[in-house]
Amino acid sequence: MKLKRLMALMLALVVFTAFAIGCSKPADDAGKANEEEKVVEETKDDETKEEPQEAEEAEEDDGPVQEGGTLTIGLFGEPQQYCPLVNYLSVIENNIAPNVFNGLLKLNLKKEIIPDLAESYEYKDDGKTIVFHLHDNVKWHDGVDFSAEDVKWSYDAYSNNKNYSDYLFNLDSVNVIDKNTVAFKLKQADAAFIANTADLMMYVLPKHIYGGNNIVNNPANKAPIGTGPFKFVEQKAGESVTLEKNPVYFGKGPYLDKLVFKIYDGLDPQFKALINDEIDYGAVPYNEVDNLANNDKYKFVSYGSPKIEGIEFNVKSGKFADSKLREAVLYGLDRKAICDKVHKDRGSASDYFISPIYEWALNDDAKMPERDVEKAKKLIEEAGFTMNNEGYYFETSYLTNERAEYDDLYKVLAEQFKEIGIKLNRDELEYSDYIAKIQDKKDFEITVINLYNGADISSISEVFQSYSSINFGAYSNEEMDKELNLGRIAYKIEDRAPHYKKVQEIARKDLPVIFLWNFGYKTPVKKYIKNMPFDKANDSVAPSEYTLTWIDESKK
């Protein structure tokens, strides 16, 4: 179970990070359920019902949308198959899948729940039943009508699948009400259920293709049939994957005629193809991003993420079992300087004990303080330490794996620790040894942590809940566990907020972790490409979904 939860955290970042290389479990709320216990995405649904054939004014000065053309995207690896029931889709496959398949709902880049096959949903039975109202007249790419039966079949299959059953443990049954309505009955109310299933890319699959057939060897695994904005055309081994416009797509768009994903043997040859204009878009190595700043072919798009980087303490053994020393480190760190020196203009310094994307839950009374070196030293002395003639109270080890990006972070941390009288050494291990040491043996004093605080705010429990898989520091607080559980069960935003504000208050007092940086990305995009998923279209599409992307031929 612990391994699966770690895999899920990595899977949730798959699509998000696929093309963010160059830039370095529900959205804000399953709780956008309103006061009447109902969520009807009226405004966004109205947008999806607009006729895709009509040209529309793009934002700012982009001019009217230009339909047609082919967008060529680089992949640094070859897709193996496209059925999530066979295996988790890889980072490569998940650049293609969002354009072929749909889920009931999806998450945009801001981790907001937005309509997909379900145009709206509502909570009933005190949050224990979720009723999804599906779009009418949706067709599979082979012309067969889509219906609620496909939804039921898909989620029954996911519930019995070894890769997903742990995440659907709270799903009691899926019941078809009529062809456009399906009800999910939960064992208990769970505000995170909807967004977590969307984040894990549980696409709705065609019952008429998979039902009663061998799923593992089904031909559709290699030639997928979905309801999405683009239809699968062909995959040429070692060369490319081609998708074409779905002319009867139920939503807004698509504007492009084709998507072509060209396959490269690694990031470097793919980047070379981008520079040589053999492809329109692709990943950029981190160390090459700033080199493109003076290239007038590109614009730069910056965007955030619910991922947070920080340090985690062993609170049960070692020096930092003393809360005064954890408090001293908090006052001794200049988080903004760390952000500026290590991450430059990507992301922002952390001030809270949750991701700042959850504005409705931020607790300003539990923010992390500004740096105060003298206060840090006083706390260390109160803990019983005396500074030696080398200027240190004590030394400790910072445990990491062998990722190069931790080198710069360690240098800045060591410098700041030194200023408060702590000598910080680095203990660097190969990944499997690192995991064994922090997860199994709890043999460390400080380690680095990267937390994906999405798709729902409840994912913060991964570091704060007593039995969590990545609560490496053995932190345990009954009051914290209670608030985390209550926050997940509540499904109205106004009922959830007090619990997560209390979570931050407890975290500020106990300090099992100190967050340093809210992840951010800076991505170069050729100027003729408009409405990329992480740019102006980011409210309306999922990451790596090119439904609303278009090409300005006049700027090529």
Side-chain angles (χ1 to χ4, degrees), residues 17 71 85 100 109 154 171 179 287 340 387 393 425 448 479 493:
T17 57
L71 183 69
L85 288 171
V100 175
L109 198 61
S154 297
L171 179 60
K179 71 183 183 71
N287 59 357
D340 291 345
M387 185 175 286
Y393 292 106
N425 303 308
V448 66
E479 186 182 12
I493 193 169

Side-chain angles (χ1 to χ4, degrees), residues 78-106:
E78 180 150 14
Q80 300 301 307
Q81 64 90 32
Y82 300 95
C83 179
L85 288 171
V86 174
N87 208 343
Y88 287 125
L89 299 186
S90 72
V91 61
I92 303 301
E93 291 144 9
N94 263 310
N95 281 291
I96 296 169
N99 300 288
V100 175
F101 296 113
N102 297 100
L104 277 171
L105 300 162
K106 57 190 174 185

Side-chain angles (χ1 to χ4, degrees), residues 1-45:
M1 179 63 177
K2 285 184 178 180
L3 180 58
K4 282 191 174 184
R5 294 185 76 178
L6 285 167
M7 289 175 69
L9 288 170
M10 293 186 286
L11 176 66
L13 284 164
V14 156
V15 174
F16 185 78
T17 57
F19 286 119
I21 288 177
C23 324
S24 352
K25 269 192 137 245
D28 247 337
D29 40 297
K32 282 207 177 160
N34 66 18
E35 290 82 2
E36 289 86 39
E37 301 183 2
K38 186 174 182 181
V39 178
V40 182
E41 307 280 358
E42 297 288 357
T43 302
K44 291 171 183 171
D45 184 53

Side-chain angles (χ1 to χ4, degrees), residues 118-411:
E119 61 183 359
S120 66
Y121 63 100
E122 59 185 308
Y123 286 98
K124 294 186 175 182
D125 304 328
D126 294 324
K128 293 182 181 179
T129 299
I130 310 172
V131 179
F132 294 93
H133 302 282
L134 309 176
H135 281 281
D136 199 9
N137 299 320
V138 177
K139 291 188 178 294
W140 293 100
H141 291 159
D142 59 0
V144 174
D145 288 340
F146 160 82
S147 78
E149 292 290 347
D150 295 299
V151 177
K152 175 175 171 54
W153 183 88
S154 297
Y155 274 85
D156 285 347
Y158 284 125
S159 295
N160 292 306
N161 184 278
K162 64 180 181 180
N163 291 328
Y164 296 95
S165 58
D166 283 347
Y167 310 110
L168 295 174
F169 69 93
N170 194 28
L171 179 60
D172 187 43
S173 63
V174 179
N175 304 302
V176 173
I177 297 175
D178 58 45
K179 71 183 183 71
N180 290 328
T181 314
V182 62
F184 282 45
K185 185 174 178 57
L186 307 182
K187 295 172 185 174
Q188 66 176 14
D190 183 359
F193 179 84
I194 289 175
N196 284 344
T197 55
D199 209 37
L200 287 167
M201 279 113 6
M202 294 185 188
Y203 300 114
V204 177
L205 301 171
K207 178 182 177 181
H208 69 283
I209 297 294
Y210 284 104
N213 297 319
N214 186 324
I215 292 175
V216 173
N217 297 315
N218 197 301
N221 298 346
K222 300 283 189 178
I225 295 171
T227 53
F230 293 92
K231 300 167 66 173
F232 181 88
V233 176
E234 65 175 350
Q235 180 167 339
K236 295 180 180 178
E239 295 184 19
S240 63
V241 178
T242 300
L243 310 181
E244 67 181 4
K245 179 176 183 174
N246 176 7
V248 296
Y249 180 55
F250 64 89
K252 183 178 177 181
Y255 299 135
L256 295 164
D257 287 337
K258 283 186 179 181
L259 287 175
V260 176
F261 297 86
K262 295 193 71 174
I263 298 166
Y264 295 91
D265 185 20
L267 178 57
D268 288 343
Q270 183 248 233
F271 175 61
K272 183 178 179 181
L274 177 68
I275 296 301
N276 292 336
D277 293 326
E278 296 168 17
I279 58 176
D280 298 307
Y281 178 67
V284 177
Y286 183 88
N287 59 357
E288 295 285 356
V289 173
D290 292 335
N291 295 336
L292 296 179
N294 296 321
N295 189 325
D296 62 7
K297 287 183 180 180
Y298 297 88
K299 68 174 182 177
F300 284 80
V301 180
S302 295
Y303 53 96
S305 160
K307 191 176 179 185
I308 323 171
E309 181 177 78
I311 58 175
E312 185 170 10
F313 299 101
N314 187 332
V315 300
K316 289 300 180 185
S317 63
K319 300 179 186 71
F320 295 99
D322 187 333
S323 62
K324 283 186 181 294
L325 294 182
R326 302 197 296 273
E327 187 84 6
V329 172
L330 176 65
Y331 277 101
L333 292 177
D334 185 337
R335 299 181 307 282
K336 187 177 186 307
I338 292 170
C339 184
D340 291 345
K341 291 180 181 180
V342 178
H343 305 294
K344 300 183 173 65
D345 54 355
R346 300 167 178 88
S348 62
S350 297
D351 290 322
Y352 299 94
F353 289 90
I354 60 171
S355 169
I357 70 167
Y358 304 110
E359 293 182 12
W360 53 270
L362 295 177
N363 187 344
D364 287 334
D365 293 329
K367 288 177 70 173
M368 289 182 273
E370 296 297 320
R371 192 183 198 204
D372 188 334
V373 170
E374 292 309 311
K375 185 165 186 174
K377 289 181 177 179
K378 183 178 178 182
L379 285 163
I380 294 172
E381 289 169 2
E382 287 176 1
F385 291 88
T386 303
M387 185 175 286
N388 63 25
N389 56 13
E390 294 180 352
Y392 293 112
Y393 292 106
F394 63 86
E395 64 181 271
T396 188
S397 250
Y398 169 67
L399 180 65
T400 72
N401 61 46
E402 297 175 324
R403 288 171 61 179
E405 57 262 43
Y406 293 145
D407 294 347
D408 290 341
L409 178 59
Y410 166 67
K411 291 174 186 175

Side-chain angles (χ1 to χ4, degrees), residues 85 199 223 251 374 378 423 427 446-447 516 520 524 528 539 553:
L85 288 171
D199 209 37
E374 292 309 311
K378 183 178 178 182
K423 184 176 182 180
D427 188 3
I446 302 175
T447 189
L516 304 173
Y528 60 81
D539 286 346
E553 294 290 344

